Amino acid sequence: MSAAAAPAAAATPVVRIEGLGMVYPGGVRALAGIDLEVHEGEFLAVLGLSGSGKSTLLRCINRLVDPSEGRVWIFDREVTRLRGGELRRLRRQVAMIFQQFNLVRRHTVLDNVLSGSLGRSRLLPSLVMSFPPAERARALESLARVGLADRAGSRADALSGGQQQRVAVARALMQEPRLILADEPVASLDPALRHSVMRHIEALNRDEGLTVICSLHDIDLVERYATRLVALRDGRLVWQGLPSEFDRATFRSIYGEDAEPASNTGF
Amino acid sequence: MARREPAADTTWRASVESLQAGAIDAVLIAILLAMGELLVVAFSGRRGPTGLLLGAEQILDLLSYGRWLGAGIALAALWALGARWLGASPGQALVRGVPEGERDLAWTETLRGWFAAVFIELTFFAGWLITELDLVAFLTKFGKAADIVRGLAQPSTSVLHEGLILLVQTVFLAFMATAFAIPIAFVLAFPSARNLTRGSTLARLAYTVSRTLMNFVRAVEPLVWALIFISWVGIGPFAGVLALWVHSVASLTKLYSEQIESIDTGPMDAITATGASTLQVLRYGVVPQVIPPFLSFTIYRWDINVRMSTIIGFVGGGGIGYILKPRVDLGEWGEVGTLVLLIAATVWLMDLISAKIRERIV
Ligand SMILES: Nc1ncnc2c1ncn2[C@@H]1O[C@H](COP(=O)(O)OP(=O)(O)O)[C@@H](O)[C@H]1O
Ligand SMILES: [Mg+2]
């Protein structure tokens, strides 16, 4: 599917970033002079040490933080100019997955998935948590996709970390987005469970043709899932390329001269 | 994004801080001087118009406040000018923190330390004189109070029936005040939470207004509210409900909003990212996290209101306090004993129940 979409997509990038910079109140500079384009169907991995600005970059794209400099376009709309209702409508097309899952812990798994449809729900029914049957069916279907249909009625905090993150993936799917931002989606999971979550994000990218921007810590995961990667260091974009071009020298240039890859696979 | 001019900003802050520090110093020094004079006057052996030694009020009346305030301002200014040699003044230490170089010094090595020591010392002596502490009376004149204690120990049954009925009224009075306070405090808690009101100027304004208003309402004692409402709706339990209600709204708003300020913002971010509107973000990202602590605070508030309604009854706000007051005035200590025991038992029971429920919720 992504192969078919590629020629048309080459013209309009899904995300275009120009001169993006961010200084947090208090004076910490998190990003400087970022230029970047992400194309339809890509799985872009964002690498960098912690504190290098990965989360800030992702949050500037859907405006969870307001960048101090530069401009961001999504599907040719300038996000950095949108306000109120326009911004909310654009956010519907951009799902986000977080390192800490960020589920509503006291709600059921199903209600958490349903919250992915809030952007298109009617206000008053949604405030009493009443959703149309069609949405409930879709939510159950999303849950089935991540293999958790049988846990629909459980409270979210009764699930294991890996399961919670799969609920978050189902919530993202429920949103019917065109772009997924994933901020270290497996960093707080047991290494053995990482693929169980990454596989589902990969499926969204491969089967649904969704564009994914995903920050990752682990080089193994990058090589296995990403179609392209960019690296941040101290808030600047220091490298971009294909997974096959990523070698030990590049690794050192991103992580510093003293760094060693955590495992030997891939080099 | 707020972009401030750093230079102008820091000089502005520095001068505001010096003013604050100077004002604190001037007041502290003036108080110290006045307390010194108070000791001098008290021990001068002067006698008042009745031929007795001066009473506390007469001593306080004699002090020269204006002069000491002037001296305080002058000395504070001197200390500010000479801070390099004298060390940081108390005001400077409070406003800006203790400077780097003075942190390791013992209190005996700084002027500020000696100032604090003398100040605390004088506060005790002055306090002793001003509140007319009388150890002799305390230790030798127990006789009359003993009657009361004896009465409390022999409760009379004559007031038991009426007491029980008014006890029920007390509990319901507290319940209604709490129940009416919940919806209002719930709505006010959101604009009173710092973390939800950073977004726009309007939100920050709402924060300032509701916080200021609630702080003011809370600062006025329920007893005063009771007096206000008694002259409004007349003596009786309804005035008590209104008094406790106003106070409960303010204090629940504060407790609720502090709870909102301590939530995990992750779920809020997640719901915002779905394109949800502000109300939906509050409903899904905030409310589920704060409901259990809200319930717990509310039950605790009911408990407090039961206790407070006793005192409110003293001035005519209904409940058991209403019949307690005349019996205290008439010295019917047996009946007072019965009522006090009833109140104690209820408060103890409420305490027990509310603790159990809160344990379950959190
Ligand atoms: N809300 C915030 N307020 C102030 N500084 C922040 C905030 N969030 C992140 N930072 C700072 O911005 C820099 C980049 O952080 P972040 O984007 O979280 O990096 P990463 O996700 O790569 O670990 C860090 O120095 C961090 O301390
Ligand atoms: Mg991060």
Side-chain angles (χ1 to χ4, degrees):
Chain A
M1 197 173 159
S2 62
T12 353
V14 175
V15 177
R16 185 149 63 90
I17 296 172
E18 264 184 28
L20 186 68
M22 177 68 196
V23 181
Y24 280 105
V28 178
R29 177 168 276 286
L31 290 176
I34 306 277
D35 296 306
L36 181 66
E37 283 189 5
V38 187
H39 292 278
E40 182 105 41
E42 275 196 297
F43 191 123
L44 179 78
V46 181
L47 292 178
L49 286 171
S50 76
S52 61
K54 303 182 296 295
S55 301
T56 306
L57 174 62
L58 293 181
R59 284 163 168 264
C60 282
I61 295 176
N62 67 352
R63 286 271 303 274
L64 282 187
V65 299
D66 287 332
S68 2
E69 304 138 18
R71 305 202 278 178
V72 177
W73 289 262
I74 300 182
F75 317 122
D76 249 2
R77 300 213 53 186
E78 191 180 341
V79 198
T80 29
R81 282 205 182 167
L82 298 183
R83 323 193 136 263
E86 282 184 318
L87 176 60
R88 290 201 295 273
R89 267 191 297 284
L90 188 97
R91 277 180 180 149
R92 282 190 220 166
Q93 309 189 44
V94 185
M96 191 158 195
I97 295 169
F98 300 81
Q99 179 178 350
Q100 300 302 334
F101 329 136
N102 291 352
L103 299 182
V104 181
R105 290 191 196 85
R106 299 175 55 84
H107 283 184
T108 64
V109 167
L110 187 68
D111 284 335
N112 268 286
V113 179
L114 279 165
S115 71
S117 71
L118 283 175
R120 57 175 183 266
S121 300
R122 288 181 31 230
L123 178 64
L124 287 180
S126 78
L127 291 183
V128 294
M129 293 174 58
S130 143
F131 292 89
E135 296 285 24
R136 303 188 81 84
R138 192 170 298 154
L140 279 169
E141 194 185 306
S142 305
L143 267 180
R145 288 273 290 273
V146 297
L148 287 170
D150 56 328
R151 303 304 301 270
S154 310
R155 241 175 78 151
D157 55 5
L159 270 55
S160 71
Q163 290 172 327
Q164 290 194 37
Q165 194 61 302
R166 276 148 64 197
V167 174
V169 173
R171 174 173 67 187
L173 184 61
M174 183 71 189
Q175 205 175 322
E176 303 188 320
R178 292 171 65 186
L179 167 65
I180 292 193
L181 306 172
D183 190 4
E184 308 206 29
V186 293
S188 34
L189 298 182
D190 198 274
L193 293 173
R194 292 185 174 167
H195 290 292
S196 76
V197 168
M198 288 306 296
R199 264 205 317 272
H200 290 293
I201 299 177
E202 184 190 32
L204 297 183
N205 172 246
R206 209 184 38 215
D207 305 339
E208 310 277 322
L210 299 182
T211 311
V212 174
I213 307 178
C214 178
S215 64
L216 285 170
H217 240 101
D218 193 327
I219 309 299
D220 292 352
L221 294 176
V222 172
E223 304 215 309
R224 164 118 180 236
Y225 295 103
T227 59
R228 189 158 69 95
L229 41 144
V230 298
L232 290 177
R233 186 171 180 176
D234 296 331
R236 295 182 176 279
L237 231 168
V238 290
W239 191 82
Q240 16 186 339
L242 300 174
S244 55
E245 297 166 350
F246 192 76
D247 57 17
R248 192 172 282 265
T250 326
F251 182 88
R252 290 237 163 96
S253 78
I254 299 167
Y255 290 100
E257 290 306 316
D258 299 332
E260 281 293 334
S263 70
N264 296 323
T265 42
F267 295 122
Chain B
M1 287 280 356
R3 279 194 205 106
R4 302 198 219 103
E5 288 293 315
D9 197 53
T10 43
T11 43
W12 163 248
R13 260 190 66 175
S15 45
V16 168
E17 282 182 352
S18 322
L19 271 180
Q20 284 176 335
I24 294 173
D25 285 337
V27 170
L28 286 179
I29 295 173
I31 294 175
L32 183 84
L33 295 174
M35 290 195 299
E37 190 190 12
L38 185 139
L39 288 189
V40 173
V41 173
F43 290 109
S44 64
R46 267 196 275 176
R47 283 162 199 280
T50 56
L52 295 172
L53 280 176
L54 292 177
E57 286 169 34
Q58 289 160 318
I59 296 177
L60 287 173
D61 194 37
L62 284 173
L63 303 188
S64 18
Y65 300 97
R67 198 178 341 132
W68 296 137
L69 190 60
I73 292 170
L75 287 172
L78 276 181
W79 198 332
L81 289 177
R84 187 187 300 249
W85 304 280
L86 300 171
S89 70
Q92 287 163 355
L94 277 176
V95 175
R96 295 208 190 97
V98 178
E100 204 63 60
E102 296 178 33
R103 287 214 182 123
D104 299 332
L105 297 179
W107 69 269
T108 47
E109 291 174 71
T110 61
L111 184 56
R112 189 179 63 251
W114 281 103
F115 182 88
V118 173
F119 195 95
I120 293 168
E121 204 85 357
L122 280 184
T123 308
F124 267 103
F125 286 124
W128 185 288
L129 292 168
I130 290 175
T131 57
E132 303 184 359
L133 289 197
D134 191 348
L135 273 184
V136 178
F138 184 71
L139 294 175
T140 59
K141 299 187 180 165
F142 182 58
K144 201 173 159 203
D147 288 345
I148 303 179
V149 174
R150 216 170 293 127
L152 292 176
Q154 298 164 351
S156 99
T157 52
S158 57
V159 78
L160 191 59
H161 180 69
E162 198 185 356
L164 277 172
I165 287 177
L166 286 176
L167 199 59
V168 172
Q169 191 181 60
T170 303
V171 172
F172 274 93
L173 190 160
F175 174 78
M176 293 309 275
T178 317
F180 286 145
I182 294 170
I184 299 175
F186 185 85
V187 170
L188 286 177
F190 291 87
S192 307
R194 192 115 215 61
N195 56 338
L196 302 184
T197 49
R198 289 207 194 92
S200 64
T201 319
L202 190 70
R204 278 195 294 272
L205 187 72
Y207 171 85
T208 313
V209 169
S210 81
R211 273 279 160 126
T212 314
L213 188 70
M214 288 303 127
N215 281 340
F216 172 77
V217 171
R218 219 155 23 86
V220 177
E221 281 293 315
L223 203 61
V224 178
W225 287 115
L227 293 173
I228 292 173
F229 284 114
I230 284 167
S231 55
W232 186 339
V233 301
I235 282 188
F238 184 48
V241 169
L242 289 175
L244 289 177
W245 168 71
V246 169
H247 194 74
S248 299
V249 166
S251 87
L252 281 179
T253 301
K254 183 176 159 65
L255 288 173
Y256 288 176
S257 62
E258 278 170 1
Q259 194 59 42
I260 292 177
E261 282 171 358
S262 71
I263 61 164
D264 170 15
T265 52
M268 275 180 79
D269 288 342
I271 301 297
T272 307
T274 67
S277 64
T278 310
L279 277 180
Q280 289 170 325
V281 171
L282 295 180
R283 172 67 188 85
Y284 286 77
V286 181
V287 171
Q289 291 188 62
V290 296
I291 287 294
F294 277 21
L295 276 176
S296 155
F297 289 142
T298 310
I299 292 169
Y300 182 51
R301 189 70 228 172
W302 181 20
D303 188 4
I304 293 176
N305 280 347
V306 168
R307 272 176 247 187
M308 281 189 169
S309 62
T310 326
I311 299 297
I312 298 251
F314 259 65
V315 296
I320 197 163
Y322 192 47
I323 57 167
L324 185 56
K325 177 80 165 41
R327 280 161 181 82
V328 171
D329 292 344
L330 295 173
E332 297 185 10
W333 300 116
E335 299 193 339
V336 170
T338 312
L339 297 175
V340 167
L341 287 178
L342 281 179
I343 294 168
T346 314
V347 167
W348 172 76
L349 204 67
M350 288 285 304
D351 225 22
L352 204 72
I353 296 172
S354 96
K356 275 273 175 284
I357 298 179
R358 282 184 287 135
E359 222 170 81
R360 284 264 171 277
I361 290 173
V362 176

